[in-house]
Amino acid sequence: MKPKPPFVYIAGAGPGDAGLLTMTTYKLLTEVADVVVYDRLISDEILNLIPENIEKIYAGKSCRNNHMTQDEINACLVEKANENKVVVRLKGGDPFIYGRGGEEALHLVENNIPFEIVPGVNAADGCSAYKGIPLTHRGLASSVRFITGHQQKGEPMSLDWKGLANDDTTLVIYMGLAHLEELSKNLITHGLPADTPAVAISSGTTKHEAACFAPLSEIFEKATKAELKAPTISIIGKVVGLAWKIK
């Protein structure tokens, strides 16, 4: 049932394949929304599901080019909701995993706009599953850590390298293509074996998916040679070696 406006849904669209949309998000896009504010990572396959009479606002951002700043996106959500509309803020993956969904939710709270969070399949789950990589596996990985490889321009990476260099843990690196060489070298320096299996996956779960497998010490060189493009997610850990058996 359509809520009484003003109302905002902050919804995850998954990593790209429209088949990974939740039923809730699908219904929001096709039956409920008056306005959809969407990210650059939303695939054409998903955008084509939205009826033509629904207003669509592109809020795409990348680390080098902002179509709308985060403050402008926040203001847009409030403005459109206050036009007595139901707004769907459509975000790639899951809105609460490196999606800045929390910031948008807090802004809605501050402006007294009712909202609901709709989770989505995150990139780590979707991309790993499509490549046959279990993020945890008995005897190989008892934990998973999600980290961001994106840093503010000019700032050094500040991570718990010693804690991350644990060969019983699977590391999933979001937005880390530009810093993959630095990430790999630091992990090896702090004790992670150089031959630890790794993979870089570009545009995972979509028809444009490309992947590069290599030992940790070679993954940056191989990914560069393969000319992988953003968005790219990297997975490092012994479980990556299972891809050849499970896929």
Side-chain angles (χ1 to χ4, degrees), residues 10-11 15 24 30 32 37 41 55 61 72 77 82 85 88 94 101 119 132 140 157 159 162 178 195 202 208 227-228:
I10 301 177
T24 298
T30 58
V32 176
V37 181
L41 297 181
E55 182 181 3
K61 296 190 302 176
E72 289 171 338
L77 297 180
N82 280 330
K85 293 178 179 179
V88 173
D94 181 271
L140 295 180
M157 301 196 75
L159 296 171
K162 186 176 181 180
D195 62 354
S202 172
H208 302 295
E227 298 183 340
L228 296 187

Side-chain angles (χ1 to χ4, degrees), residues 210-212 221-229:
C212 179
E221 179 184 353
K222 294 289 182 66
T224 301
K225 187 176 181 179
E227 298 183 340
L228 296 187
K229 307 295 183 184

Side-chain angles (χ1 to χ4, degrees), residues 30-89:
T30 58
E31 301 175 12
V32 176
D34 297 313
V35 182
V36 176
V37 181
Y38 66 96
D39 282 345
R40 71 182 181 92
L41 297 181
I42 307 302
S43 66
D44 290 341
E45 184 182 8
I46 292 174
L47 292 176
N48 289 337
L49 297 173
I50 305 172
E52 292 184 2
N53 63 309
I54 302 302
E55 182 181 3
K56 304 173 191 66
I57 299 174
Y58 176 61
K61 296 190 302 176
S62 70
C63 61
R64 295 180 179 85
N65 179 39
N66 280 359
H67 187 80
M68 292 175 67
T69 67
Q70 188 61 53
D71 287 344
E72 289 171 338
I73 293 171
N74 293 346
C76 177
L77 297 180
V78 172
E79 178 185 343
K80 288 298 175 180
N82 280 330
E83 290 177 2
N84 210 35
K85 293 178 179 179
V86 174
V87 180
V88 173
R89 172 68 173 112

